[in-house]
Structure formats: structure tokens, C-alpha cells
Amino acid sequence: MSRQNYIFTSESVSEGHPDKVCDRISDAVLDALLAEEETARVACETFATSSLVVIGGEVGLSDRERLKDYMGRIPQIARDVIKEIGYEQEKFHWNTCHVLNFLHEQSAHIAQGVNRDGAGDQGIMFGYAVDETPELMPAPIQYAHRILQRLAQARKDGSAPSLRPDAKSQLSLRYEDGRPVEVTQLVLSTQHESEDQSSDDIRAIVEPYIREVIPADWLTEKTEWWVNPTGTFVIGGPDGDAGLTGRKIIVDTYGGSAPHGGGAFSGKDPTKVDRSAAYAARYLAKNIVAAGLARKCCLQLSYAIGVARPLSIYVDTYGTAEAPDEAIEAAVAKVMDLTPRGIREHLALNRPIYERTAAYGHFGRAPEPDGGFSWERTDLVEALKKAL
């Protein structure tokens, strides 16, 4: 039996965090190419520092001439992302930073396996779901995300004009009988406008927004608040710290509540199972919990480069399921085609829906009308019940 009484902590970072700036630029490049051609191949990496953005990696379109024309759009795509995030600092400004593009055509040796409908690489991917939040996500990471989303909204709509884009949050939640009941520690570091603003000043600005998103009975007299604990945080973003695509994989997934296969998501087209199979694993785990088959579920998939079918399917329900885990594994294989092509078609992943995933988590978001976050649907519930 797993522990039922404990404290667990997860962190999130805002869209203005240097690594998230890079994730978003990489995903914006991906979306632009998928808008050109749904079978576009993209493996885009971004690096950012003071007044400089460097973009590299592999891309591919069926028409090489169109690909050449597309390359000239890359700097403007990056600038548009930086502008929308809100960076107009002296040493990191959307209109003045240097953007260097080193993208090149996809390796034919990598393409040959994908072109046969195989996986673009070997790897292991995990999906996870738990019934402790309405979104079937672990509460610490879910609410750490929601804090930063709400503050970004307040910054952009003008209701909190002294906040700036770079921020981090961290929540420590106390669990009792396996359920979250209290925030024991709340940490928020947010970039702000003036060196004259103290930590108390910033807390007065952010606390009302935080209380909007955290369940009221979780914030108690015992909750310790740490808002800008070092004091001044005016220099932020890539001017304060360099950023790189794919460096926040635990923030992107489950906040440490579940295993991670190691592969990052942003900048990768859906032929890369690092991304698409991780989405499929979350989709299946969420549907298992939504169906009432388990209160908690971790699901692993594994692949080999050039091979279509998954090499293994593993399910762990932590003793919370009525049916044996082996039976759930068998049911999963019946209700969804888990080849790379099958995943892409089932979840309709060959479309420009990825830039929006780059901050505030790839999971625990509402499915959108244009197909965004399709892996958050719970439309396999009846099929899973029937398969069991």
C-alpha cells in the first residue's frame, strides 16, 4: 500500500521563462510548417540569451523550393512569439534582438523509417491520470500552472501592469488519506517593473489572483507564502538567464508525480513518438480513470525506430483498479491503434495546434474546437468498459 499521508511539491514556469520562450518559438515554427503541409517534418531547437535567438534543427516539406521560401519567415515567427509574450526590455526586445536561423533539411536516414510508418526514434513514453482534480491531473502541478496562467492574464489585460513575463511558481500540498487537503508552502517569484517594489508589494498584487484559482479551504493560517523571497526581480527572461528548448520536461508533464520517458515535446512534429505517443499515453490513462476503472493510472509505451507497433504496453493502477492491470493492458491495445500513424489519425495531430501547448502544461487542458488538446478527450470510456 502506498503512503496516504505526505507532502508533495511541484513547480511551474511562465510563458516568459527563458526555456519556455524557446519552447514556444520551436512550436511556432512547427505550427507554421504544418499549416503549409500536414505531413511536414520538424525537429526544431531554440536557444535564447541577451538580445539573441538561435534556431536550428531539421525540417522537411515535400517541395524543396517551398521549404527554401519558408526559411525566410523564421526570424519573423520568432519575433512575433517574443512580442506576444511581452518582452520589450532593453536587452531582450522583440524588435531588436538578433535571430539566427540554422534549420536544415531532414536527414534522409531518419526519414526512411518514418516514411514506412515506423516510429521516428526509439523511446519510452509515459501517460498518467489521477482523480484528485477535475482535470484528472496531480493537484500540485495543475494549480502551479493555473497560478501562472492567471497572473499572465492579469498582466496582459492591464489589471496588473507592473508584472513582467518571467515567473515561477511552486506548490507543496499536504495529502491526507491520499487526497490533497492543504497548501503548506506556496512559492512565487515573478519579474516586476521597478526596483522600488518590495516582496510585500508584489504579494499584495498577486495574492488576490492566486486565491481565485486555489481551492479556498486549501489556503489556511498555516500556509507559508514565499513571494519573491530574494527581493528584487526586475532583470528576467533570456537577459537574466539563457533559455533552451526541451529543458522543462517535468513542468510539461506531471510535475514529478509520474515517470517521464526523457524525451521533450516542443518543436517536434507528431511523427516523433516522443511527443505523439506521450499524448496517446495520457489520453489512455485519462480515459481509464474517467471510466472509473481506476483512481490512478500510469501507462507506458515503448517504440523502436522504423517499427510501427509499440514494443510494449505497461499499466500500473497502484492497486486502485477493480480489474487486473494485465486486463487493462489488453483492453488498451483493443481500443486504439498505437502505431505512430494510428495515433496521429485518432487524435488528429497533423495540424497546427502546438504553440499553445508550450507553456502551462501539455496536459490537464480542455479540448478545443479546432482539435487542440485532443488527447484530453474522454471519448474512449465506453470502449474501454466494453473491452474489459
Side-chain angles (χ1 to χ4, degrees):
M1 176 68 72
S2 61
R3 289 178 63 189
Q4 297 296 297
N5 301 313
Y6 55 91
I7 295 173
F8 193 85
T9 304
S10 294
E11 69 162 349
S12 180
V13 298
S14 73
E15 63 200 70
H17 185 280
D19 295 330
K20 282 293 152 199
V21 172
C22 294
D23 283 344
R24 185 161 172 183
I25 290 171
S26 293
D27 274 337
V29 170
L30 168 61
D31 277 357
L33 268 166
L34 287 174
E36 287 282 323
E37 183 175 294
E38 68 175 18
T39 57
R41 302 287 167 74
V42 182
C44 177
E45 310 288 346
T46 304
F47 166 76
T49 187
S50 293
S51 301
L52 178 66
V53 172
V54 182
I55 303 170
E58 301 181 329
V59 294
L61 292 173
S62 58
D63 185 333
R64 290 186 176 183
E65 291 305 313
R66 266 200 305 141
L67 183 60
K68 290 179 183 178
D69 293 339
Y70 168 84
M71 290 299 189
R73 297 165 49 194
I74 299 295
Q76 190 58 49
I77 289 171
R79 293 185 192 282
D80 289 345
V81 166
I82 297 166
K83 182 179 182 180
E84 205 286 326
I85 291 171
Y87 276 115
E88 295 185 341
Q89 299 171 186
E90 180 183 354
K91 294 184 180 180
F92 196 74
H93 193 294
W94 63 269
N95 197 37
T96 59
C97 69
H98 300 285
V99 181
L100 305 180
N101 174 23
F102 295 102
L103 289 167
H104 60 88
E105 193 169 0
Q106 184 186 43
S107 161
H109 292 169
I110 292 175
Q112 64 186 352
V114 180
N115 292 341
R116 295 196 300 265
D117 288 337
D121 200 355
Q122 71 178 50
I124 56 174
M125 298 82 204
F126 288 93
Y128 183 74
V130 61
D131 67 354
E132 65 190 40
T133 62
E135 299 84 4
L136 304 185
M137 282 286 288
I141 187 67
Q142 187 71 5
Y143 287 104
H145 287 322
R146 298 296 84 83
I147 287 170
L148 295 181
Q149 273 188 307
R150 184 65 186 94
L151 293 178
Q153 181 185 19
R155 171 174 61 86
K156 291 180 177 181
D157 68 19
S159 56
S162 66
L163 299 184
R164 292 295 180 264
D166 198 356
K168 301 178 77 171
S169 63
Q170 184 172 289
L171 277 184
S172 299
L173 279 180
R174 182 172 66 84
Y175 284 71
E176 194 173 280
D177 296 327
R179 313 300 288 179
V181 296
E182 180 185 26
V183 178
T184 60
Q185 307 274 346
L186 189 153
V187 183
L188 178 78
S189 294
T190 181
Q191 186 185 12
H192 55 96
E193 179 182 31
S194 171
E195 293 188 5
D196 294 331
Q197 292 173 297
S198 68
S199 297
D200 290 340
D201 293 331
I202 300 303
R203 176 171 173 176
I205 293 169
V206 302
E207 184 171 343
Y209 301 110
I210 292 172
R211 289 188 179 276
E212 282 182 24
V213 299
I214 301 292
D217 56 343
W218 289 6
L219 293 170
T220 72
E221 293 181 355
K222 295 180 180 179
T223 301
E224 294 186 12
W225 292 66
W226 302 95
V227 177
N228 283 17
T230 61
T232 303
F233 182 10
V234 172
I235 300 171
D239 182 35
D241 189 11
L244 194 66
T245 298
R247 207 158 53 175
K248 286 290 178 285
I249 58 176
I250 302 303
V251 169
D252 287 341
T253 55
Y254 308 104
S257 293
H260 193 291
F265 302 155
S266 290
K268 297 177 181 178
D269 74 73
T271 67
K272 278 73 171 176
V273 286
D274 274 348
R275 183 169 216 159
S276 57
Y279 289 174
R282 160 63 179 174
Y283 175 61
L284 290 166
K286 184 176 183 181
N287 275 270
I288 288 165
V289 175
L293 302 177
R295 286 186 49 205
K296 183 189 298 188
C297 179
C298 180
L299 188 146
Q300 184 201 60
L301 302 171
S302 70
Y303 292 85
I305 188 168
V307 179
R309 63 177 179 80
L311 304 187
S312 65
I313 301 171
Y314 168 79
V315 168
D316 184 357
T317 58
Y318 306 90
T320 67
E322 296 294 329
D325 289 347
E326 295 88 342
I328 298 176
E329 290 168 358
V332 161
K334 292 177 182 177
V335 301
M336 185 175 179
D337 177 357
L338 289 170
T339 64
R341 177 183 289 275
I343 292 170
R344 295 195 303 274
E345 291 179 351
H346 189 108
L347 297 177
L349 297 180
N350 287 105
R351 59 178 77 189
I353 55 173
Y354 297 103
E355 184 181 347
R356 71 194 74 171
T357 70
Y360 313 120
H362 292 246
F363 310 126
R365 314 276 288 271
E368 297 178 347
D370 68 349
F373 301 101
S374 60
W375 48 93
E376 292 296 311
R377 302 190 314 248
T378 53
D379 53 359
L380 280 185
V381 165
E382 294 306 319
L384 281 164
K385 289 180 179 178
K386 184 177 180 180
L388 278 168

PDB file of all heavy atoms in Angstrom, residues 177-208:
ATOM      1  N   ASP A 177      -5.068  10.795   3.768  1.00  0.00           N
ATOM      2  CA  ASP A 177      -5.800   9.659   3.196  1.00  0.00           C
ATOM      3  C   ASP A 177      -5.749   9.672   1.673  1.00  0.00           C
ATOM      4  O   ASP A 177      -6.716   9.340   0.975  1.00  0.00           O
ATOM      5  CB  ASP A 177      -7.253   9.639   3.673  1.00  0.00           C
ATOM      6  CG  ASP A 177      -7.363   9.430   5.176  1.00  0.00           C
ATOM      7  OD1 ASP A 177      -6.507   8.715   5.734  1.00  0.00           O
ATOM      8  OD2 ASP A 177      -8.285  10.003   5.789  1.00  0.00           O
ATOM      9  N   GLY A 178      -4.604  10.105   1.140  1.00  0.00           N
ATOM     10  CA  GLY A 178      -4.390  10.085  -0.302  1.00  0.00           C
ATOM     11  C   GLY A 178      -5.024  11.218  -1.073  1.00  0.00           C
ATOM     12  O   GLY A 178      -4.977  11.226  -2.311  1.00  0.00           O
ATOM     13  N   ARG A 179      -5.623  12.210  -0.395  1.00  0.00           N
ATOM     14  CA  ARG A 179      -6.285  13.330  -1.070  1.00  0.00           C
ATOM     15  C   ARG A 179      -5.640  14.650  -0.649  1.00  0.00           C
ATOM     16  O   ARG A 179      -5.296  14.838   0.530  1.00  0.00           O
ATOM     17  CB  ARG A 179      -7.780  13.378  -0.732  1.00  0.00           C
ATOM     18  CG  ARG A 179      -8.513  12.057  -0.842  1.00  0.00           C
ATOM     19  CD  ARG A 179      -8.449  11.469  -2.229  1.00  0.00           C
ATOM     20  NE  ARG A 179      -9.275  12.206  -3.179  1.00  0.00           N
ATOM     21  CZ  ARG A 179      -9.357  11.864  -4.466  1.00  0.00           C
ATOM     22  NH1 ARG A 179      -8.666  10.835  -4.936  1.00  0.00           N
ATOM     23  NH2 ARG A 179     -10.131  12.568  -5.278  1.00  0.00           N
ATOM     24  N   PRO A 180      -5.476  15.599  -1.565  1.00  0.00           N
ATOM     25  CA  PRO A 180      -4.895  16.898  -1.198  1.00  0.00           C
ATOM     26  C   PRO A 180      -5.857  17.693  -0.327  1.00  0.00           C
ATOM     27  O   PRO A 180      -7.046  17.809  -0.649  1.00  0.00           O
ATOM     28  CB  PRO A 180      -4.684  17.584  -2.553  1.00  0.00           C
ATOM     29  CG  PRO A 180      -5.660  16.930  -3.489  1.00  0.00           C
ATOM     30  CD  PRO A 180      -5.805  15.521  -3.013  1.00  0.00           C
ATOM     31  N   VAL A 181      -5.320  18.254   0.773  1.00  0.00           N
ATOM     32  CA  VAL A 181      -6.200  18.963   1.712  1.00  0.00           C
ATOM     33  C   VAL A 181      -5.687  20.356   2.083  1.00  0.00           C
ATOM     34  O   VAL A 181      -6.471  21.174   2.566  1.00  0.00           O
ATOM     35  CB  VAL A 181      -6.407  18.151   3.012  1.00  0.00           C
ATOM     36  CG1 VAL A 181      -7.125  16.839   2.721  1.00  0.00           C
ATOM     37  CG2 VAL A 181      -5.081  17.897   3.722  1.00  0.00           C
ATOM     38  N   GLU A 182      -4.387  20.622   1.877  1.00  0.00           N
ATOM     39  CA  GLU A 182      -3.863  21.906   2.353  1.00  0.00           C
ATOM     40  C   GLU A 182      -2.585  22.274   1.605  1.00  0.00           C
ATOM     41  O   GLU A 182      -1.736  21.422   1.344  1.00  0.00           O
ATOM     42  CB  GLU A 182      -3.562  21.814   3.855  1.00  0.00           C
ATOM     43  CG  GLU A 182      -3.017  23.096   4.457  1.00  0.00           C
ATOM     44  CD  GLU A 182      -2.612  22.930   5.908  1.00  0.00           C
ATOM     45  OE1 GLU A 182      -2.279  21.785   6.315  1.00  0.00           O
ATOM     46  OE2 GLU A 182      -2.620  23.937   6.641  1.00  0.00           O
ATOM     47  N   VAL A 183      -2.454  23.558   1.263  1.00  0.00           N
ATOM     48  CA  VAL A 183      -1.191  24.097   0.765  1.00  0.00           C
ATOM     49  C   VAL A 183      -0.323  24.423   1.969  1.00  0.00           C
ATOM     50  O   VAL A 183      -0.674  25.280   2.777  1.00  0.00           O
ATOM     51  CB  VAL A 183      -1.407  25.358  -0.091  1.00  0.00           C
ATOM     52  CG1 VAL A 183      -0.063  25.929  -0.552  1.00  0.00           C
ATOM     53  CG2 VAL A 183      -2.301  25.060  -1.294  1.00  0.00           C
ATOM     54  N   THR A 184       0.796  23.732   2.094  1.00  0.00           N
ATOM     55  CA  THR A 184       1.687  24.019   3.226  1.00  0.00           C
ATOM     56  C   THR A 184       2.688  25.118   2.878  1.00  0.00           C
ATOM     57  O   THR A 184       3.050  25.921   3.735  1.00  0.00           O
ATOM     58  CB  THR A 184       2.448  22.753   3.661  1.00  0.00           C
ATOM     59  OG1 THR A 184       3.236  22.270   2.571  1.00  0.00           O
ATOM     60  CG2 THR A 184       1.474  21.676   4.112  1.00  0.00           C
ATOM     61  N   GLN A 185       3.143  25.133   1.627  1.00  0.00           N
ATOM     62  CA  GLN A 185       4.110  26.139   1.184  1.00  0.00           C
ATOM     63  C   GLN A 185       3.710  26.612  -0.213  1.00  0.00           C
ATOM     64  O   GLN A 185       3.409  25.794  -1.083  1.00  0.00           O
ATOM     65  CB  GLN A 185       5.525  25.552   1.112  1.00  0.00           C
ATOM     66  CG  GLN A 185       6.003  24.866   2.367  1.00  0.00           C
ATOM     67  CD  GLN A 185       6.616  25.826   3.358  1.00  0.00           C
ATOM     68  OE1 GLN A 185       6.927  26.960   3.032  1.00  0.00           O
ATOM     69  NE2 GLN A 185       6.802  25.368   4.592  1.00  0.00           N
ATOM     70  N   LEU A 186       3.720  27.912  -0.419  1.00  0.00           N
ATOM     71  CA  LEU A 186       3.447  28.486  -1.731  1.00  0.00           C
ATOM     72  C   LEU A 186       4.586  29.426  -2.086  1.00  0.00           C
ATOM     73  O   LEU A 186       4.867  30.378  -1.340  1.00  0.00           O
ATOM     74  CB  LEU A 186       2.112  29.229  -1.715  1.00  0.00           C
ATOM     75  CG  LEU A 186       1.565  29.727  -3.055  1.00  0.00           C
ATOM     76  CD1 LEU A 186       0.044  29.830  -2.998  1.00  0.00           C
ATOM     77  CD2 LEU A 186       2.144  31.094  -3.454  1.00  0.00           C
ATOM     78  N   VAL A 187       5.261  29.134  -3.187  1.00  0.00           N
ATOM     79  CA  VAL A 187       6.394  29.947  -3.623  1.00  0.00           C
ATOM     80  C   VAL A 187       6.054  30.585  -4.960  1.00  0.00           C
ATOM     81  O   VAL A 187       5.605  29.904  -5.884  1.00  0.00           O
ATOM     82  CB  VAL A 187       7.675  29.098  -3.763  1.00  0.00           C
ATOM     83  CG1 VAL A 187       8.868  29.978  -4.137  1.00  0.00           C
ATOM     84  CG2 VAL A 187       7.962  28.325  -2.481  1.00  0.00           C
ATOM     85  N   LEU A 188       6.268  31.881  -5.067  1.00  0.00           N
ATOM     86  CA  LEU A 188       6.086  32.577  -6.335  1.00  0.00           C
ATOM     87  C   LEU A 188       7.199  33.600  -6.500  1.00  0.00           C
ATOM     88  O   LEU A 188       7.399  34.449  -5.621  1.00  0.00           O
ATOM     89  CB  LEU A 188       4.729  33.285  -6.393  1.00  0.00           C
ATOM     90  CG  LEU A 188       4.527  34.079  -7.691  1.00  0.00           C
ATOM     91  CD1 LEU A 188       4.176  33.156  -8.839  1.00  0.00           C
ATOM     92  CD2 LEU A 188       3.482  35.164  -7.540  1.00  0.00           C
ATOM     93  N   SER A 189       7.899  33.490  -7.606  1.00  0.00           N
ATOM     94  CA  SER A 189       8.879  34.512  -7.975  1.00  0.00           C
ATOM     95  C   SER A 189       8.443  35.086  -9.314  1.00  0.00           C
ATOM     96  O   SER A 189       8.355  34.355 -10.303  1.00  0.00           O
ATOM     97  CB  SER A 189      10.281  33.904  -8.093  1.00  0.00           C
ATOM     98  OG  SER A 189      10.734  33.447  -6.836  1.00  0.00           O
ATOM     99  N   THR A 190       8.130  36.361  -9.336  1.00  0.00           N
ATOM    100  CA  THR A 190       7.677  36.976 -10.579  1.00  0.00           C
ATOM    101  C   THR A 190       8.458  38.243 -10.876  1.00  0.00           C
ATOM    102  O   THR A 190       8.701  39.072  -9.978  1.00  0.00           O
ATOM    103  CB  THR A 190       6.166  37.286 -10.530  1.00  0.00           C
ATOM    104  OG1 THR A 190       5.759  37.860 -11.776  1.00  0.00           O
ATOM    105  CG2 THR A 190       5.796  38.226  -9.398  1.00  0.00           C
ATOM    106  N   GLN A 191       8.851  38.368 -12.115  1.00  0.00           N
ATOM    107  CA  GLN A 191       9.509  39.575 -12.579  1.00  0.00           C
ATOM    108  C   GLN A 191       8.546  40.759 -12.447  1.00  0.00           C
ATOM    109  O   GLN A 191       7.336  40.608 -12.648  1.00  0.00           O
ATOM    110  CB  GLN A 191       9.906  39.381 -14.044  1.00  0.00           C
ATOM    111  CG  GLN A 191      10.738  40.498 -14.643  1.00  0.00           C
ATOM    112  CD  GLN A 191      10.984  40.274 -16.130  1.00  0.00           C
ATOM    113  OE1 GLN A 191      10.352  39.417 -16.744  1.00  0.00           O
ATOM    114  NE2 GLN A 191      11.882  41.031 -16.711  1.00  0.00           N
ATOM    115  N   HIS A 192       9.114  41.933 -12.089  1.00  0.00           N
ATOM    116  CA  HIS A 192       8.263  43.099 -11.896  1.00  0.00           C
ATOM    117  C   HIS A 192       8.941  44.339 -12.458  1.00  0.00           C
ATOM    118  O   HIS A 192      10.102  44.305 -12.882  1.00  0.00           O
ATOM    119  CB  HIS A 192       7.903  43.274 -10.416  1.00  0.00           C
ATOM    120  CG  HIS A 192       9.083  43.334  -9.503  1.00  0.00           C
ATOM    121  ND1 HIS A 192       9.654  44.506  -9.072  1.00  0.00           N
ATOM    122  CD2 HIS A 192       9.821  42.329  -8.938  1.00  0.00           C
ATOM    123  CE1 HIS A 192      10.681  44.241  -8.278  1.00  0.00           C
ATOM    124  NE2 HIS A 192      10.806  42.924  -8.178  1.00  0.00           N
ATOM    125  N   GLU A 193       8.217  45.428 -12.427  1.00  0.00           N
ATOM    126  CA  GLU A 193       8.628  46.626 -13.162  1.00  0.00           C
ATOM    127  C   GLU A 193       9.749  47.397 -12.497  1.00  0.00           C
ATOM    128  O   GLU A 193      10.693  47.825 -13.149  1.00  0.00           O
ATOM    129  CB  GLU A 193       7.403  47.533 -13.325  1.00  0.00           C
ATOM    130  CG  GLU A 193       7.671  48.832 -14.053  1.00  0.00           C
ATOM    131  CD  GLU A 193       6.420  49.691 -14.138  1.00  0.00           C
ATOM    132  OE1 GLU A 193       5.577  49.633 -13.229  1.00  0.00           O
ATOM    133  OE2 GLU A 193       6.294  50.412 -15.138  1.00  0.00           O
ATOM    134  N   SER A 194       9.644  47.609 -11.186  1.00  0.00           N
ATOM    135  CA  SER A 194      10.507  48.597 -10.533  1.00  0.00           C
ATOM    136  C   SER A 194      11.284  47.997  -9.370  1.00  0.00           C
ATOM    137  O   SER A 194      10.764  47.170  -8.617  1.00  0.00           O
ATOM    138  CB  SER A 194       9.642  49.754 -10.018  1.00  0.00           C
ATOM    139  OG  SER A 194      10.397  50.630  -9.205  1.00  0.00           O
ATOM    140  N   GLU A 195      12.520  48.478  -9.195  1.00  0.00           N
ATOM    141  CA  GLU A 195      13.330  48.072  -8.053  1.00  0.00           C
ATOM    142  C   GLU A 195      12.787  48.645  -6.750  1.00  0.00           C
ATOM    143  O   GLU A 195      13.185  48.214  -5.666  1.00  0.00           O
ATOM    144  CB  GLU A 195      14.782  48.507  -8.260  1.00  0.00           C
ATOM    145  CG  GLU A 195      15.474  47.767  -9.401  1.00  0.00           C
ATOM    146  CD  GLU A 195      16.958  48.079  -9.473  1.00  0.00           C
ATOM    147  OE1 GLU A 195      17.463  48.798  -8.590  1.00  0.00           O
ATOM    148  OE2 GLU A 195      17.616  47.593 -10.416  1.00  0.00           O
ATOM    149  N   ASP A 196      11.887  49.592  -6.840  1.00  0.00           N
ATOM    150  CA  ASP A 196      11.287  50.174  -5.635  1.00  0.00           C
ATOM    151  C   ASP A 196      10.197  49.283  -5.047  1.00  0.00           C
ATOM    152  O   ASP A 196       9.728  49.525  -3.925  1.00  0.00           O
ATOM    153  CB  ASP A 196      10.672  51.546  -5.960  1.00  0.00           C
ATOM    154  CG  ASP A 196      11.726  52.572  -6.352  1.00  0.00           C
ATOM    155  OD1 ASP A 196      12.872  52.444  -5.876  1.00  0.00           O
ATOM    156  OD2 ASP A 196      11.402  53.481  -7.144  1.00  0.00           O
ATOM    157  N   GLN A 197       9.774  48.244  -5.792  1.00  0.00           N
ATOM    158  CA  GLN A 197       8.724  47.349  -5.305  1.00  0.00           C
ATOM    159  C   GLN A 197       9.332  46.260  -4.414  1.00  0.00           C
ATOM    160  O   GLN A 197      10.257  45.564  -4.819  1.00  0.00           O
ATOM    161  CB  GLN A 197       7.990  46.695  -6.476  1.00  0.00           C
ATOM    162  CG  GLN A 197       7.158  47.681  -7.293  1.00  0.00           C
ATOM    163  CD  GLN A 197       6.589  47.043  -8.543  1.00  0.00           C
ATOM    164  OE1 GLN A 197       7.334  46.604  -9.425  1.00  0.00           O
ATOM    165  NE2 GLN A 197       5.267  46.980  -8.625  1.00  0.00           N
ATOM    166  N   SER A 198       8.794  46.123  -3.206  1.00  0.00           N
ATOM    167  CA  SER A 198       9.277  45.113  -2.264  1.00  0.00           C
ATOM    168  C   SER A 198       8.530  43.795  -2.479  1.00  0.00           C
ATOM    169  O   SER A 198       7.538  43.725  -3.217  1.00  0.00           O
ATOM    170  CB  SER A 198       9.056  45.595  -0.837  1.00  0.00           C
ATOM    171  OG  SER A 198       7.655  45.649  -0.550  1.00  0.00           O
ATOM    172  N   SER A 199       8.988  42.767  -1.777  1.00  0.00           N
ATOM    173  CA  SER A 199       8.302  41.482  -1.815  1.00  0.00           C
ATOM    174  C   SER A 199       6.862  41.626  -1.319  1.00  0.00           C
ATOM    175  O   SER A 199       5.939  41.004  -1.869  1.00  0.00           O
ATOM    176  CB  SER A 199       9.045  40.452  -0.960  1.00  0.00           C
ATOM    177  OG  SER A 199      10.337  40.211  -1.472  1.00  0.00           O
ATOM    178  N   ASP A 200       6.665  42.448  -0.277  1.00  0.00           N
ATOM    179  CA  ASP A 200       5.308  42.673   0.233  1.00  0.00           C
ATOM    180  C   ASP A 200       4.431  43.361  -0.803  1.00  0.00           C
ATOM    181  O   ASP A 200       3.236  43.051  -0.935  1.00  0.00           O
ATOM    182  CB  ASP A 200       5.348  43.507   1.514  1.00  0.00           C
ATOM    183  CG  ASP A 200       5.920  42.735   2.699  1.00  0.00           C
ATOM    184  OD1 ASP A 200       5.918  41.492   2.647  1.00  0.00           O
ATOM    185  OD2 ASP A 200       6.371  43.384   3.673  1.00  0.00           O
ATOM    186  N   ASP A 201       5.015  44.287  -1.558  1.00  0.00           N
ATOM    187  CA  ASP A 201       4.264  44.966  -2.619  1.00  0.00           C
ATOM    188  C   ASP A 201       3.800  43.968  -3.673  1.00  0.00           C
ATOM    189  O   ASP A 201       2.653  44.010  -4.127  1.00  0.00           O
ATOM    190  CB  ASP A 201       5.124  46.044  -3.293  1.00  0.00           C
ATOM    191  CG  ASP A 201       5.461  47.198  -2.364  1.00  0.00           C
ATOM    192  OD1 ASP A 201       4.666  47.477  -1.455  1.00  0.00           O
ATOM    193  OD2 ASP A 201       6.536  47.811  -2.561  1.00  0.00           O
ATOM    194  N   ILE A 202       4.701  43.074  -4.044  1.00  0.00           N
ATOM    195  CA  ILE A 202       4.359  42.089  -5.074  1.00  0.00           C
ATOM    196  C   ILE A 202       3.320  41.108  -4.546  1.00  0.00           C
ATOM    197  O   ILE A 202       2.381  40.742  -5.250  1.00  0.00           O
ATOM    198  CB  ILE A 202       5.619  41.344  -5.554  1.00  0.00           C
ATOM    199  CG1 ILE A 202       6.629  42.341  -6.136  1.00  0.00           C
ATOM    200  CG2 ILE A 202       5.251  40.294  -6.597  1.00  0.00           C
ATOM    201  CD1 ILE A 202       6.101  43.176  -7.276  1.00  0.00           C
ATOM    202  N   ARG A 203       3.440  40.714  -3.286  1.00  0.00           N
ATOM    203  CA  ARG A 203       2.432  39.806  -2.723  1.00  0.00           C
ATOM    204  C   ARG A 203       1.049  40.460  -2.745  1.00  0.00           C
ATOM    205  O   ARG A 203       0.045  39.798  -3.050  1.00  0.00           O
ATOM    206  CB  ARG A 203       2.796  39.385  -1.304  1.00  0.00           C
ATOM    207  CG  ARG A 203       1.689  38.521  -0.687  1.00  0.00           C
ATOM    208  CD  ARG A 203       2.060  37.883   0.628  1.00  0.00           C
ATOM    209  NE  ARG A 203       0.892  37.213   1.209  1.00  0.00           N
ATOM    210  CZ  ARG A 203       0.920  36.486   2.325  1.00  0.00           C
ATOM    211  NH1 ARG A 203       2.057  36.327   2.987  1.00  0.00           N
ATOM    212  NH2 ARG A 203      -0.191  35.919   2.763  1.00  0.00           N
ATOM    213  N   ALA A 204       0.986  41.740  -2.431  1.00  0.00           N
ATOM    214  CA  ALA A 204      -0.308  42.428  -2.439  1.00  0.00           C
ATOM    215  C   ALA A 204      -0.935  42.410  -3.831  1.00  0.00           C
ATOM    216  O   ALA A 204      -2.161  42.351  -3.971  1.00  0.00           O
ATOM    217  CB  ALA A 204      -0.130  43.865  -1.952  1.00  0.00           C
ATOM    218  N   ILE A 205      -0.088  42.439  -4.873  1.00  0.00           N
ATOM    219  CA  ILE A 205      -0.595  42.403  -6.246  1.00  0.00           C
ATOM    220  C   ILE A 205      -1.079  41.004  -6.619  1.00  0.00           C
ATOM    221  O   ILE A 205      -2.162  40.827  -7.180  1.00  0.00           O
ATOM    222  CB  ILE A 205       0.505  42.858  -7.236  1.00  0.00           C
ATOM    223  CG1 ILE A 205       0.835  44.337  -7.027  1.00  0.00           C
ATOM    224  CG2 ILE A 205       0.074  42.594  -8.683  1.00  0.00           C
ATOM    225  CD1 ILE A 205       2.069  44.796  -7.773  1.00  0.00           C
ATOM    226  N   VAL A 206      -0.290  39.969  -6.286  1.00  0.00           N
ATOM    227  CA  VAL A 206      -0.558  38.631  -6.817  1.00  0.00           C
ATOM    228  C   VAL A 206      -1.520  37.807  -5.963  1.00  0.00           C
ATOM    229  O   VAL A 206      -2.194  36.908  -6.481  1.00  0.00           O
ATOM    230  CB  VAL A 206       0.757  37.841  -7.010  1.00  0.00           C
ATOM    231  CG1 VAL A 206       1.699  38.595  -7.944  1.00  0.00           C
ATOM    232  CG2 VAL A 206       1.444  37.541  -5.675  1.00  0.00           C
ATOM    233  N   GLU A 207      -1.600  38.102  -4.654  1.00  0.00           N
ATOM    234  CA  GLU A 207      -2.385  37.227  -3.777  1.00  0.00           C
ATOM    235  C   GLU A 207      -3.852  37.104  -4.193  1.00  0.00           C
ATOM    236  O   GLU A 207      -4.401  35.982  -4.183  1.00  0.00           O
ATOM    237  CB  GLU A 207      -2.274  37.684  -2.323  1.00  0.00           C
ATOM    238  CG  GLU A 207      -2.988  36.747  -1.366  1.00  0.00           C
ATOM    239  CD  GLU A 207      -2.724  37.057   0.097  1.00  0.00           C
ATOM    240  OE1 GLU A 207      -1.752  37.778   0.412  1.00  0.00           O
ATOM    241  OE2 GLU A 207      -3.499  36.555   0.938  1.00  0.00           O
ATOM    242  N   PRO A 208      -4.519  38.184  -4.576  1.00  0.00           N
ATOM    243  CA  PRO A 208      -5.926  38.015  -4.968  1.00  0.00           C
ATOM    244  C   PRO A 208      -6.110  37.065  -6.150  1.00  0.00           C
ATOM    245  O   PRO A 208      -7.083  36.292  -6.188  1.00  0.00           O
ATOM    246  CB  PRO A 208      -6.364  39.435  -5.330  1.00  0.00           C
ATOM    247  CG  PRO A 208      -5.433  40.328  -4.576  1.00  0.00           C
ATOM    248  CD  PRO A 208      -4.130  39.600  -4.557  1.00  0.00           C
TER     249      PRO A 208
END
